[in-house]
Amino acid sequence: MKPESKPESFDVGIVYRPLESSRASYPNDWYKRNWDRKIAKFSHWALVFRSSKRSKSLQVELVPREKRVTYRIKDFTGGQFQVHFFGIYSGDLSGIYKLAEEHSMNGDKYSKSENNCQHWVARLVDKLKPFRITSQTIYDDILCVMGKSKFLDVSVVSVVYNVPLSYRKAIGSVVKRRAQAVREVVREAKERVVQKVARRLYPIAFDLVLRRRARQGLGMAWRW
């Protein structure tokens, strides 16, 4: 049963929990630290909605059942996992339930590389409207899974989508070439600005020099 609709604001955060395959690679307390994209990409993601009007927070996440994508909404108890808040959603509780219920991935075949908890969370975050970002870094890292990040992290995309190393290197070379092209454009723009300013200032400077030499009685007889 869905709760009644009462407009309010929710602090939206993400919790990432260690997977069995990655626990041995990090200290036992690594999930208590600040947001770390290198660690987060090997973790299970869940969203947390915290309301100032309620004593409890809500946890929304993907739960695979019989190799199909389903979801779960429950009270967030916290415990040893730190919530990394990254935005504020203005809406109501029933709207959160509706977004989870109507998620485009629900019912699809679950895949660890292409249809997992991170993709589910990213698509849900993308649907949160109206939404005010409070941590651009975490927000971009989440949407990076969908390829919508302003600052696309190639390493994150490579791991999430299981891109082969050869393709990963090709993607990196493309990014480097584009970055080089941007630097060239900026350099040329700076040169054009300098030349334009010089053309405008040169006659003024030349006139000032002539006036100064005239006052000194040197006239045009001067040497460069």
Side-chain angles (χ1 to χ4, degrees):
M1 182 177 178
K2 295 182 182 179
E4 297 180 359
S5 299
K6 294 182 179 180
E8 52 186 306
S9 295
F10 295 88
D11 294 321
V12 183
I14 186 170
V15 173
Y16 57 94
R17 300 200 300 269
L19 301 176
E20 292 295 334
S21 58
S22 63
R23 285 182 180 177
S25 303
Y26 301 99
N28 293 330
D29 63 341
W30 64 261
Y31 45 79
K32 295 181 180 179
R33 303 175 183 179
N34 294 330
W35 177 262
D36 189 324
R37 62 176 59 182
K38 293 182 180 179
I39 296 178
K41 65 187 178 184
F42 294 109
S43 308
H44 170 74
W45 290 2
L47 286 179
V48 174
F49 292 85
R50 181 181 67 186
S51 172
S52 57
K53 297 181 179 180
R54 305 172 188 273
S55 58
K56 294 183 179 180
S57 299
L58 210 62
Q59 179 175 323
V60 185
E61 61 187 335
L62 177 149
V63 178
R65 290 192 179 95
E66 298 180 355
K67 297 183 179 181
R68 293 289 174 180
V69 175
T70 62
Y71 70 95
R72 174 174 62 192
I73 299 178
K74 65 177 184 178
D75 290 338
F76 176 70
T77 55
Q80 60 184 352
F81 300 107
Q82 179 179 347
V83 182
H84 303 276
F85 291 100
F86 61 91
I88 299 175
Y89 167 65
S90 300
D92 52 60
L93 205 56
S94 63
I96 298 174
Y97 277 81
K98 184 177 180 181
L99 287 172
E101 181 182 356
E102 299 178 353
H103 198 291
S104 59
M105 285 177 55
N106 290 344
D108 292 348
K109 185 178 180 180
Y110 175 77
S111 169
K112 291 183 179 180
S113 59
E114 297 178 357
N115 245 23
N116 58 35
C117 59
Q118 298 183 3
H119 301 97
W120 197 90
V121 165
R123 292 191 185 186
L124 183 59
V125 170
D126 193 44
K127 293 291 184 181
L128 290 176
K129 301 289 188 298
F131 186 78
R132 180 167 64 86
I133 301 171
T134 57
S135 175
Q136 190 70 52
T137 300
I138 299 178
Y139 182 80
D140 285 333
D141 284 348
I142 293 174
L143 292 193
C144 183
V145 176
M146 299 172 57
K148 286 192 173 185
S149 172
K150 281 175 59 181
F151 310 102
L152 187 60
D153 188 336
V154 177
S155 62
V156 173
V157 176
S158 300
V159 172
V160 171
Y161 288 97
N162 197 23
V163 177
L165 180 60
S166 58
Y167 292 165
R168 209 178 306 170
K169 291 181 178 179
I171 293 172
S173 64
V174 170
V175 172
K176 288 181 180 178
R177 287 199 300 271
R178 290 187 177 179
Q180 180 63 30
V182 170
R183 286 194 292 268
E184 289 293 330
V185 170
V186 172
R187 183 181 59 80
E188 293 175 2
K190 289 181 177 179
E191 289 179 354
R192 287 197 296 270
V193 170
V194 171
Q195 292 173 3
K196 188 175 181 180
V197 172
R199 284 196 298 269
R200 291 188 176 183
L201 292 180
Y202 182 80
I204 299 175
F206 187 76
D207 183 62
L208 291 175
V209 170
L210 288 180
R211 292 186 181 185
R212 182 180 178 184
R213 295 184 69 84
R215 287 198 301 269
Q216 295 175 351
L218 298 176
M220 295 297 294
W222 60 345
R223 290 163 47 184
W224 290 94

